[in-house]
Structure formats: structure tokens, C-alpha cells
Amino acid sequence: MDRRILIVAGVIAGLIIVTVLAVEVFDEAIFAQIPYSYTSYTSIPANKPGEGSLGGYYSINGRGRDFRFQIVLPGAENLDTHEVNGTRICYNESGLSGVGHIDHIDVTWDALLSLMRGDLKSAMFGTPLSGHYNMTCAAWNGGGNFRSDGTDFRGDFRINGVETFFGGNFTLKPEAGRIVLSADYIYYPQGKPQEARRVKKDFYM
């Protein structure tokens, strides 16, 4: 093959690679500057017949790869939101708060436009990403990981309390204008995994 053809082909390939990398860097630079926030109602269904559900709100605020979130359920500090042999999950009026970081994200123009329109749900469910988070509430702390392939949004969590441990998996799905968090987890008194119980439950956000 003519050496000139090889040189031209090499130059074209190099330009394509440089252009792709430049676009990726440009998208990341825009994403890093866009602030986003989302606040909505959340509810926890009753654990047993005759018991009332809990309602409150949650909020997410961030910029680029870093975000904060909070869940507040007024009155929950007075209720046994979950019991293990009489031990409460330990929730107080300050609510649950946490911080998270997106470790990997495929920034697309659709995701950027959704964020600029304030449509965090579309950006969250339509963008491949993965990351981790930490959270605290009353006398416990916890954390986990999350990942989305642009269609399915899944994650895991763990809660280490003074007296109780919780841990499991969850999925998030948009449904009729709200987000449904389906959790599948176990819980047991600290140091007594042999007393573990399994729970499958939906939470509405």
C-alpha cells in the first residue's frame, strides 16, 4: 500500500480519536458545572394491617459527581418503624442524611439537557453510571453502592446501628410520576445473625 495512504489514514484516525476525547472532556466539564436538586414526597407503607403509613419528604442536591440527600419523616421518631425483638431502628426528628459520589458516568447530551431542564429523574434513569454513598441517622451509620445501565437502576445498602444491623439490595423504578424503591434485605440484632429475618418491601418516593 502507498505510504502516503497509510499516513493519511493514520492522520484521519488520530483526528477522530482526538475529537472523541475532546467531546468527552467537554461533556464532563459541562456536567461538573451543572447544579441539580430534586425534592418530593416519600412514604413508608404500614408493616401490618391497621397500622398507619409514614409520610415525609426527601431531597437531593448536587453539582457534577458529588451530591447530598436527606429524608425526613415527621413523627417517625415516636413510632416503631421497624422492630427486632423490641429494638427500634433508631430514627430521630433530624431525619436521615447522606452524601454520595458518582464514580463513573457516561455523560450524554440527553443527560445534560435533562439536568439543565431540572429533570433529574430522566437524567438519573437514562444515564449509565455507578457510585457510592454514606448516610447517618440518629445512632447508626451506613452506606452502599448504586449503578445504572441506563435502563435498570440497582444498588445495595447496609445499616450498622448500636443494636441492629440491616443489609440488602434495592432497585429504583419510575412509575406513574413517582419512584418506587423495592428493597430486599435482612435485619438482626447486632452479633446475632442467626436471628436474621428477611424482608421484601416497596417504598414510594
Side-chain angles (χ1 to χ4, degrees), residues 174-196:
E175 181 183 286
R178 64 184 180 182
I179 297 174
V180 180
L181 187 154
S182 298
D184 183 352
Y185 61 95
I186 62 169
Y187 66 101
Y188 56 80
Q190 284 286 10
K192 299 180 180 179
Q194 68 275 11
E195 297 182 20

Side-chain angles (χ1 to χ4, degrees), residues 6-187:
L6 289 175
I7 292 173
V8 171
V11 170
I12 292 173
L15 287 173
I16 291 173
I17 292 171
V18 169
T19 301
V20 170
L21 290 176
V23 169
E24 288 290 329
V25 171
F26 184 63
D27 290 350
E28 278 276 357
I30 294 176
F31 174 65
Q33 299 305 314
I34 299 177
Y36 48 87
S37 63
Y38 185 80
T39 300
S40 186
Y41 175 78
T42 185
S43 65
I44 299 177
N47 286 321
K48 52 191 175 184
E51 185 178 81
S53 62
L54 290 172
Y57 71 90
Y58 71 98
S59 62
I60 302 172
N61 297 281
R63 182 187 294 270
R65 291 175 179 261
D66 296 300
F67 61 90
R68 295 181 175 276
F69 60 92
Q70 184 174 30
I71 300 173
V72 178
L73 300 166
E77 65 274 12
N78 301 316
L79 300 174
D80 291 337
T81 54
H82 218 313
E83 285 193 6
V84 180
N85 297 333
T87 299
R88 300 202 325 194
I89 191 174
C90 198
Y91 175 92
N92 64 21
E93 66 277 0
S94 63
L96 179 157
S97 60
V99 295
H101 181 76
I102 300 171
D103 300 316
H104 170 77
I105 181 169
D106 291 340
V107 181
T108 65
W109 280 107
D110 285 342
L112 294 175
L113 290 173
S114 293
L115 288 175
M116 288 188 280
R117 288 196 308 262
D119 186 0
L120 181 61
K121 281 199 294 186
S122 293
M124 185 174 80
F125 286 105
T127 308
L129 54 82
S130 62
H132 64 277
Y133 63 94
N134 295 301
M135 55 186 178
T136 58
C137 180
W140 58 259
N141 60 71
N145 302 282
F146 58 88
R147 58 203 166 277
S148 171
D149 60 7
T151 302
D152 296 318
F153 197 111
R154 303 177 183 276
D156 57 67
F157 69 93
R158 61 194 174 280
I159 295 173
N160 285 301
V162 175
E163 300 180 10
T164 314
F165 172 85
F166 291 74
N169 303 300
F170 66 84
T171 60
L172 291 173
K173 292 183 180 180
E175 181 183 286
R178 64 184 180 182
I179 297 174
V180 180
L181 187 154
S182 298
D184 183 352
Y185 61 95
I186 62 169
Y187 66 101

